Amino acid sequence: MKLSTIVGLAGVAALAVLLEILIGQGYISPFLVAPPSEIGVELVALWKEERLVEALLMTFGSTLASTGIAISVGVPVGFLLNRVRLLAEAYEGWIAGLFSAPLILLYPLFLVLFGRGLMTIIVISSILATIPIVLNTMQAFAQVRAVHLNVARAFKLTSWQTFWKVLLPAALPTIFTGIRLALIYSMISVVAIEYLVVLGGLGSLVSDLYDRYNIPGMYAAIVAVIGVTVVFFKLATEVERWLRPV
Amino acid sequence: MAASRLARSSAGGGKGSSRAAQVLSVQIATFVAVWAAWEALSRSGLLFEGVVPSSLAVFPAILEHLLDPVFWDHMGRTAYEVVAGFALGASVGAALGLLLGMRRFLAAVLEPYINYLAATPKIVFLPIMMVMFGVGAGSKIAMAAISAFFPVAVSVYRGTLQVNPVHVRVARSFKASQWKIVKSVYLPSIVPPLLTGLRLGLGVAIVGTLLAEIKLANKGLGYVVIQHYNFFRTADMYAVLIIIFVIAVGINTLMDRLATRFSHKV
């Protein structure tokens, strides 16, 4: 383990102990900040009584489904835009604009269209996640080196072979940067809409516990959300590292 | 974006103007097609009445909102929350980013935690903010601040890593004070990443504030959207969402232009 990791973990532990003491001594109200020890106890309670596992699975499932849809739409669209220059010139500015637009705010509009259910969550999350994939896929195919394509031509590869043997492998690392963004984006969007609309999943659990004024439970659920983020973040980083040629 | 430059430079050499006309006609055709699809969907009877309002109902609703002083009141509240929170979050974020860039060990310790928290959906911190700062403007300002903090901190930190260590050593050997080093060595080279961070930060601060207002508020644009939703005034809801989009995209474009201009100067 690296020294910085050890110092970091020690820092987190020290912060937890400090909070515990400050709350125990009455400097911070336990109604504002839950003591770390209670958060631990509550995590177990959430698991036993509030169906934490079910909520976790729902959030995981929605995120993976949205990312999957985004990949299956975004990569072909990005490739098409790379092939057809006219479309790329017409749409790239718009897509980049959408990337910075607050698309998640459209969720009430999708609620009206698709009803208060999982469908709404997955539709809007996959739209949000598709955009970075399209932009990265376009860039990925544009970056393929001319030398590689010339070699393919010299060996008289068919366009099908050129795609599978040359273009796709060269583009994959940059495409995966888009997929990594998409995974994080859909997770954020899934949890946010779960929290806002209370349709089940981890986000809803946070909202529910606040409404019941179960402060330690609420903190525990937020810690669970951070935990899920860490899992997705590590997952994405690992797969990206594995795909990226050194 | 690099790809757009590539696309533009490869666009057929001397026939620049006819190419531009082609692009424009594709854009106009797309715009008209989307609009026609929208109108067709709203009149088709496939969906319940009012689910997708006709643009003929939405555009007057936009005008109606813009002429209503009460709506400007809501807009003012949202603007206040966004600006206050953004100013707070961005300045703390920039300071921390700079500190981390200058203290490499501290950066190595904190970096994973910052990365994780930056990727966490900030909206789940809203209940904590409501417990601490109440359900009024305070919790929204806090949301804007938390949202803006991370992109600014991360951008500034990455910017300071680009600073040539030789320059810092030269400044040190001339016995420049710590403040002088920050001012003369670090600050000039972090202006472009800082501006990018501010653009991203302002964008997420707007989203954070609006989502918080949608969840629980009695004033602000987010509150207006969710009120229209609750009373099924879909045309009004579309109108307010369009206004929000135009403002958000406009601000983003403006910040982007600013960043481009500055990065050319430096």
Side-chain angles (χ1 to χ4, degrees):
Chain A
M1 211 189 260
K2 278 188 294 185
L3 180 63
S4 58
T5 316
I6 297 168
V7 173
L9 290 174
V12 172
L15 190 68
V17 172
L18 182 70
L19 272 176
E20 197 76 44
I21 293 170
L22 286 177
I23 296 164
Q25 296 296 314
Y27 291 107
I28 298 176
S29 160
F31 295 110
L32 291 184
V33 182
S37 58
E38 250 181 76
I39 295 177
V41 174
E42 277 299 323
L43 269 175
V44 178
L46 288 185
W47 179 48
K48 285 185 176 155
E49 290 154 27
E50 304 281 351
R51 297 195 278 188
L52 178 64
V53 177
E54 206 172 287
L56 272 170
L57 286 179
M58 192 166 163
T59 302
F60 261 95
S62 307
T63 302
L64 292 178
S66 310
T67 312
I69 295 171
I71 294 170
S72 54
V73 174
V75 174
V77 169
F79 182 65
L80 177 78
L81 287 179
N82 172 261
R83 294 288 111 173
V84 189
R85 282 264 165 264
L86 184 63
L87 293 185
E89 283 170 54
Y91 297 142
E92 193 180 7
W94 291 6
I95 299 170
L98 280 182
F99 196 34
S100 59
L103 282 178
I104 193 161
L105 292 174
L106 294 182
Y107 87 86
L109 198 149
F110 287 86
L111 278 180
V112 174
L113 271 172
F114 298 104
R116 299 176 73 91
L118 211 54
M119 182 77 167
T120 301
I121 294 185
I122 291 179
V123 168
I124 189 135
S125 305
S126 41
I127 293 177
L128 261 125
T130 303
I131 298 170
I133 295 186
V134 171
L135 289 174
N136 273 280
T137 305
M138 284 176 73
Q139 204 187 343
F141 284 110
Q143 275 172 352
V144 175
R145 289 168 58 190
V147 176
H148 294 171
L149 293 175
N150 289 343
V151 172
R153 214 167 292 141
F155 279 102
K156 295 205 178 359
L157 295 191
T158 62
S159 55
W160 187 251
Q161 284 170 319
T162 310
F163 179 79
W164 286 107
K165 303 273 181 206
V166 181
L167 273 175
L168 193 62
L172 216 49
T174 309
I175 294 178
F176 202 82
T177 306
I179 297 179
R180 189 171 64 91
L181 284 176
L183 197 62
I184 304 282
Y185 273 48
S186 40
M187 193 260 314
I188 290 178
S189 148
V190 164
V191 174
I193 297 170
E194 283 173 353
Y195 172 74
L196 290 168
V197 197
V198 194
L199 293 167
L202 273 182
S204 304
L205 196 58
V206 174
S207 179
D208 235 21
L209 291 161
Y210 170 81
D211 287 341
R212 283 187 266 150
Y213 215 69
N214 178 352
I215 299 300
M218 181 187 92
Y219 271 90
I222 293 171
V223 168
V225 171
I226 298 175
V228 169
T229 311
V230 174
V231 170
F232 274 119
F233 193 90
K234 284 204 176 277
L235 187 77
T237 317
E238 280 311 306
V239 182
E240 192 181 19
R241 184 174 302 160
W242 176 65
L243 271 178
R244 195 171 281 282
V246 184
Chain B
M1 188 122 278
S4 80
R5 252 172 258 135
L6 272 172
R8 244 172 261 146
S9 63
S10 66
K15 295 177 187 167
S17 62
S18 75
R19 184 67 171 183
Q22 274 179 321
V23 168
L24 190 67
S25 49
V26 170
Q27 287 177 331
I28 291 172
T30 310
F31 192 78
V32 171
V34 170
W35 196 344
W38 172 11
E39 278 302 312
L41 191 63
S42 96
R43 282 146 202 262
S44 64
L46 287 174
L47 300 164
F48 287 112
E49 201 185 329
V51 167
V52 177
S54 156
S55 58
L56 297 178
V58 172
F59 289 115
I62 294 178
L63 213 62
E64 220 171 273
H65 276 89
L66 291 178
L67 294 174
D68 183 3
V70 178
F71 180 74
W72 284 92
D73 240 29
H74 288 295
M75 203 122 90
R77 165 64 80 90
T78 302
Y80 159 64
E81 290 162 351
V82 170
V83 170
F86 172 69
L88 195 68
S91 42
V92 177
L96 183 76
L98 191 61
L99 180 71
L100 292 183
M102 295 167 65
R103 294 278 178 274
R104 296 295 158 85
F105 183 71
L106 187 65
V109 171
L110 289 183
E111 204 179 351
Y113 299 97
I114 292 176
N115 281 338
Y116 299 145
L117 286 176
T120 303
K122 307 301 171 300
I123 191 73
V124 299
F125 297 120
L126 177 62
I128 298 182
M129 299 305 125
M130 293 199 291
V131 167
M132 287 184 175
F133 306 110
V135 293
S139 53
K140 280 75 190 176
I141 293 175
M143 274 310 293
I146 294 178
S147 306
F149 170 82
F150 288 98
V152 176
V154 170
S155 294
V156 171
Y157 168 58
R158 293 213 180 117
T160 52
L161 292 184
Q162 303 296 317
V163 173
N164 189 340
V166 173
H167 295 175
V168 180
R169 257 179 274 146
V170 169
R172 283 229 178 92
S173 51
F174 277 107
K175 303 235 180 313
S177 66
Q178 193 68 39
W179 169 240
K180 183 81 182 159
I181 293 178
V182 167
K183 214 182 79 176
S184 313
V185 182
Y186 282 100
L187 281 186
S189 50
I190 61 165
V191 168
L194 174 66
L195 285 172
T196 306
L198 291 177
R199 177 174 64 83
L200 297 173
L202 188 53
V204 289
I206 293 172
V207 174
T209 306
L210 287 166
L211 289 182
E213 285 177 351
I214 284 176
K215 185 68 181 178
L216 193 64
N218 55 19
K219 218 173 171 189
L221 288 181
Y223 167 77
V224 176
V225 170
I226 209 64
Q227 283 299 98
H228 287 327
Y229 168 77
N230 287 335
F231 291 99
F232 206 68
R233 296 188 292 249
T234 40
D236 289 315
M237 187 177 87
Y238 272 66
V240 178
L241 286 173
I242 290 174
I243 294 171
I244 291 173
F245 262 69
V246 169
I247 296 173
V249 173
I251 289 175
N252 188 69
T253 313
L254 219 66
M255 298 279 284
D256 199 29
R257 294 253 167 88
L258 200 70
T260 325
R261 176 176 300 178
F262 265 94
S263 50
H264 284 319
K265 262 187 198 164
V266 176

